[in-house]
Amino acid sequence: MKFVKWIVIVLIALGLGLGIARALKQRAAKQQAAAQAAAAQLIPPVFDLLASDVLQVKVKTVVQTVAITGDVQASVRATVKAPVAASVKQWLVQEGASVQSGQVLGLLDSADLEQRAEQAQQQAIAATAQAQIALRQLESNQSLAKQGFISPVALKSSEDNWRAAESNAKAAQAGAAIARKNLADATIRAPFDAQVTSSWVKVGDRVGVNAPLADLVDPRAIEVVATLPAEQLSRVKVGQTARLKIEGVPSDVLATVARINPTISAGNRSATLYLELPPAVGARPGSFVQGSIETGQVQGPAVPTALIHTEKPEPYLQILKDGVVQHIPAQALTKGVVGDESYTLLQGLEPGTTVLGLTAGTMASGTQVRVISVATK
């Protein structure tokens, strides 16, 4: 019995030893797997980018510009006003109507004007007759003075009477001419070929002298009146080219700076520019305008402005160096356009630097990247 008991004890001890050995082996295997997993996590991932996701910095000719806004205005425009106080007898045009130079726009009641013109005409006739009588009297007295029948004083008096009568006749004739002009002005006519933008009266209205009747513009003679900040005025010169987007015009329009107002608005500290548009551009007065004026050109390493990131306090550019993404400060030297795209010249940027494009997105500094090939732009 004792022998059997010892055999059982030995078997139990062997079983316990084998279980402990197996547990230790499994624990070691788990520790090794954990160590391998931890080591794998320390290896940073490598991201693949397409060729279109990066570009190389190249020297560009950047056109410098200043932004402007404004509207289209008619350079030839007028407000037709009443030359005399009268009632509107007829009014023949409304907003949007096209008129030609000299075309009748309306008629003012001319009854009083006709009577005044007739009165002035008769006064001129009478004054002219008096001047003729005085002239004949002068000629008669000159003959008598030669024969010694009248004194020099009487002759001098005749001369003065004739001069006074002659002046009265001229004054009466001038008054008659004014009365005739007032009568003619009762017929309101267009001063030039134009379109009616505003009609202020209707038949029966009583208008005073210089009361507005209608606003006219020549749609063929238009210009852009634009504003820009006063601090940028020194960069703008007469003759420079501007690229404009005009409301209602499908394509960009090239205009020329024609005039610059020398004064600065005290209200918004801006300057006013006048730009000449090409003929038949199709713009209408009142259309909104925005665009930029080309003020010069500069060459240097430049990148599209859209690639400069601004989500941090300081703008930065994502570049790729030795397969690692780096964030470098983006200190702009100047901005402009290349073609239709905005570009920025950056301080310290070297030609040939690989830059991450928009399609690459925002990547953390230090990220490893693998590029199959590099595209140029």
Side-chain angles (χ1 to χ4, degrees), residues 328-375:
I328 63 172
Q331 298 181 6
L333 296 177
T334 187
K335 294 182 179 181
V337 294
V338 177
D340 293 330
E341 188 174 4
S342 175
Y343 269 74
T344 301
L345 270 71
L346 298 178
Q347 182 176 353
L349 189 63
E350 296 294 335
T353 302
T354 303
V355 179
L356 271 63
L358 288 176
T359 54
T362 302
M363 306 186 75
S365 180
T367 302
Q368 293 188 6
V369 173
R370 180 172 55 224
V371 180
I372 298 174
S373 62
V374 178

Side-chain angles (χ1 to χ4, degrees), residues 290-306:
Q290 62 180 354
S292 59
I293 299 174
E294 298 179 1
T295 59
Q297 294 183 350
V298 62
Q299 282 190 335
V303 296
T305 304

Side-chain angles (χ1 to χ4, degrees), residues 76 98-103 190-195 216-220:
V76 178
S98 296
V99 296
Q100 296 181 342
S101 178
Q103 180 178 332
F192 51 82
D193 294 349
Q195 283 187 326
L216 306 180
V217 299
D218 185 350
R220 301 166 302 177

